[in-house]
Amino acid sequence: MTTRRKFLKTAGVGAAASLAAPAVHAQGAKIKWRLQTYAGPALAEQVVKPMVDKFNAIAGDEMQIELYTADQLVPTGELFRAMQKGTIDAVQSDDDSMASPTEVTVFGGYFPFALRYSLDVPVLFNQYGLDEIWKAEYAKVGVQHISAGAWDPCHFATKKPVTSLKDLDGLRVFTFPTAGRFMSRFGIVPVTLPWEDVEVALQTGEIDAIAWSGITEDYTVGWADVTDYFLTNNISGAWIGHFFVNMQRWADLPDHLKTLFQVCCDSSHYRRQWWYWGGEAALRVNGTKLKLTAIPDEEWAQVEAEAQKFWDEIASESEVKAQVVAKIKEYNAVMAKAGRPYRYT
């Protein structure tokens, strides 16, 4: 961690000058970008490496992207600042965990009960105006928002069985900032850790549970080996994540490479949709490491009702937040009225 912080402070001087140099050099020179993801090595293989490999194969001698995984260059909480400064050229993350200084940060990751399915994310961004809001907010802080996509739903993986709301009380949980802020109303104690320390923290008893992902990630990154139970009630049906680029790097990029980058990001979003959707079902049915538990629907309804109050509290904080909450409410009302298969009562 000390080395990473020193890297941020010294980038642009002395030995680190080459790391902070502009990504676009003399005309005809190969463009090189550094992209850091929120995901650890095992997860990055699924959620971003295929996109980077595809881009590099097509761009060839014109441009190459170097991929770095969670906390490899800078801590996840400092990703935004590093990208804004140009220390890192591009980022794959949610707004929340990389501490973006924008009005929309609270909606990144898991905004409680705003989404039922992964398809809700692209519809909200592409048909309900969230993409325009995100691009405008990030332009204010010198970052180009490329696109948003869906990841997995948010469930608890726990060391002890959770079968009622009272079982959540006092549970020390590694989770996203907004999810932790909301679920603390039901007694959980949010714990912040570097991503790579989570597995050991579960083994040593420093934390009791995680609410960071669905069951696919639990198996993929090894958390299913150090937890025993999987709560089938979820806080959200999908994680909202994005691709971002330093604005000057984006402006310097030739138009055809901008288009290629955008297409590869879209391809990445699509791949995650089927990888997570199929994985969540298959591992619930065929997985052997986690026992499924559930909180009764009538109890869980209290959590869903509290989420509506939480939305209103967030909306009261700023005009932009109110706009986003209004879009979320409008969208969910349409889905509820549409009925099956969009929403089930």
Side-chain angles (χ1 to χ4, degrees), residues 10-309:
T10 60
V13 296
S18 61
L19 290 174
V24 181
H25 301 285
Q27 186 175 3
K30 182 186 288 185
I31 301 166
K32 293 183 179 179
W33 274 11
R34 296 176 300 276
L35 187 158
Q36 184 169 314
T37 176
Y38 75 98
L43 185 60
E45 286 286 329
Q46 300 293 337
V47 302
V48 68
K49 189 175 183 295
M51 171 268 193
V52 171
D53 289 346
K54 186 178 297 184
F55 181 93
N56 288 343
I58 298 171
D61 291 337
E62 283 193 89
M63 180 173 175
Q64 292 289 287
I65 297 173
E66 297 173 352
L67 176 63
Y68 297 88
T69 57
D71 304 311
Q72 195 172 0
L73 284 180
V74 297
T76 298
E78 297 178 14
L79 272 178
F80 177 85
R81 185 162 66 92
M83 174 175 50
Q84 187 184 44
K85 291 172 60 178
T87 305
I88 295 172
D89 305 293
V91 165
Q92 180 200 46
S93 179
D94 68 290
D95 320 72
D96 206 16
S97 56
M98 74 172 189
S100 299
T102 73
E103 291 292 332
V104 296
T105 295
V106 70
F107 302 102
Y110 294 115
F111 192 62
F113 298 99
L115 309 164
R116 185 70 60 90
Y117 307 118
S118 58
L119 275 174
D120 293 340
V121 176
V123 176
L124 272 165
F125 274 81
N126 295 305
Q127 294 186 358
Y128 281 74
L130 294 197
D131 187 66
E132 289 83 358
I133 295 173
W134 257 250
K135 281 179 168 52
E137 287 302 302
Y138 277 94
K140 296 176 184 177
V141 290
V143 167
Q144 179 68 42
H145 174 262
I146 303 300
S147 61
W151 274 250
D152 48 345
C154 184
H155 293 262
F156 286 83
T158 62
K159 298 286 290 182
K160 65 178 185 179
V162 173
T163 58
S164 69
L165 286 180
K166 70 176 186 296
D167 293 331
L168 295 176
D169 191 26
L171 216 60
R172 295 164 298 171
V173 183
F174 172 70
T175 189
F176 291 86
T178 299
R181 174 181 168 184
F182 172 67
M183 288 304 298
S184 64
R185 298 175 182 221
F186 298 92
I188 79 153
V189 180
V191 178
T192 301
L193 292 168
W195 190 92
E196 68 268 23
D197 294 345
V198 172
E199 186 170 343
V200 172
L202 284 163
Q203 291 174 305
T204 60
E206 182 180 353
I207 58 175
D208 307 303
I210 51 176
W212 182 267
S213 67
I215 199 168
T216 307
E217 282 193 23
D218 292 337
Y219 273 77
T220 301
V221 306
W223 292 337
D225 298 320
V226 291
T227 53
D228 300 298
Y229 300 93
F230 180 83
L231 181 63
T232 55
N233 310 77
N234 62 49
I235 302 170
S236 173
W239 187 78
I240 303 176
H242 312 262
F243 286 100
F244 304 95
V245 178
N246 171 277
M247 189 162 281
Q248 187 58 53
R249 297 290 192 266
W250 187 250
D252 290 341
L253 204 62
D255 287 344
H256 69 287
L257 291 178
K258 288 179 181 176
T259 299
L260 176 60
F261 188 79
Q262 289 172 319
V263 168
C264 288
C265 289
D266 288 343
S267 174
S268 181
H269 294 321
Y270 170 70
R271 186 186 190 280
R272 283 191 310 278
Q273 288 238 286
W274 60 258
W275 185 70
Y276 277 119
W277 186 257
E280 295 300 304
L283 287 170
R284 286 192 191 197
V285 175
N286 302 314
T288 59
K289 296 179 180 179
L290 295 174
K291 183 177 179 180
L292 305 184
T293 63
I295 294 174
D297 289 345
E298 58 271 19
E299 272 196 78
W300 196 247
Q302 299 174 42
V303 185
E304 295 190 11
E306 192 65 27
Q308 299 294 320
K309 300 176 186 176

